[in-house]
Amino acid sequence: MNEDRLVVCGIAGSLRKQSWNWMLLRAAALLAPDDIEVRLSKQLPDIPLFNEDLLVDEPPAVGALRAEVAEADALMIATPEYNGGVPGVLKNVLDWLSLPLGRSVLEGKPVAIMGASPGRLGTARSQFELRNTFVFSRSPVLPGPEVLVSHADQHFDAAGRLTDQLAIDRIGLLFDGLRQYARLNKQEVVLLP
């Protein structure tokens, strides 16, 4: 991390191009302060289902995503909620990135989580489940604030811009938290085995 600039890798857990979570992630990128650059990953559609047989010759899209995450100081994930949990496509990506054990690009990487949903819970359950996934990779997840955009169709305009002021304010607080966590992470924090 450059002392003056924080690089955040943004991942939306949906393959649909006009998903609410892509819109939310793009909104966050536009809201980022001048000292934070959000780079939106577009690798997810090309990531195959996790298969240990493929570890011998890692698929190019997995390597490209791994490099994007490695180059970033932090992650920002916008997750949908499918059947009350984390979408399979997002869990699949995290399974790939969690390897190799003990040397994963996720280890120690600060993570901010948010989500948008047409439902009334605004991805609360999938965010909770996602936090548990990051325990395994030893990635510090910001404890808050929660960005839960419920009834998403009412909080984006026709051009896909976020209009929910509470979510906009909370995204700003997420950036503040990522900045603090990333600085702590660079102070050679030793993770216990």
Side-chain angles (χ1 to χ4, degrees):
M1 175 176 133
N2 178 324
E3 283 301 318
D4 300 328
R5 192 147 186 83
L6 177 74
V7 174
V8 176
C9 179
I11 297 174
S14 174
L15 296 178
R16 193 168 61 89
K17 289 178 185 169
Q18 292 303 316
S19 79
W20 301 118
N21 287 283
W22 266 111
M23 289 184 208
L24 183 60
L25 197 57
R26 283 193 291 268
L30 292 173
L31 292 167
D34 291 340
D35 64 334
I36 297 179
E37 176 187 355
V38 179
R39 298 176 183 168
L40 305 181
S41 179
K42 301 207 189 248
Q43 301 298 332
L44 271 67
D46 298 321
I47 305 283
L49 290 175
F50 180 76
N51 178 344
E52 288 184 75
D53 291 341
L54 299 178
L55 293 176
V56 176
D57 189 17
E58 185 172 83
V62 173
L65 180 59
R66 194 181 307 282
E68 289 175 0
V69 173
E71 291 171 7
D73 301 300
L75 288 178
M76 179 171 272
I77 295 179
T79 182
E81 184 169 294
Y82 296 167
N83 298 315
V86 175
V89 67
L90 182 55
K91 178 64 169 70
N92 182 57
V93 162
L94 296 176
D95 289 343
W96 277 109
L97 292 176
S98 69
L99 297 173
L101 295 176
R103 291 180 289 124
S104 162
V105 293
L106 296 176
E107 190 164 322
K109 188 81 60 178
V111 180
I113 301 172
M114 58 185 175
S117 168
R120 64 184 165 88
L121 296 179
T123 73
R125 293 176 293 191
S126 65
Q127 288 191 40
F128 178 77
E129 187 177 305
L130 195 53
R131 288 175 185 280
N132 289 331
T133 300
F134 283 114
V135 169
F136 180 79
S137 64
R138 300 185 337 167
S139 308
V141 179
L142 271 65
E146 291 183 309
V147 179
L148 304 164
V149 180
S150 58
H151 305 291
D153 58 319
Q154 299 171 25
H155 296 290
F156 291 89
D157 66 17
R161 291 181 296 253
L162 182 63
T163 59
D164 181 336
Q165 190 59 50
L166 178 61
I168 290 169
D169 294 344
R170 287 182 171 193
I171 289 169
L173 293 173
L174 282 181
F175 282 122
D176 291 343
L178 279 178
R179 188 184 294 113
Q180 291 173 1
Y181 271 49
R183 285 194 176 127
L184 285 172
N185 193 38
K186 289 298 178 180
Q187 294 176 0
E188 301 206 24
V189 174
V190 176
L191 295 173
L192 299 175

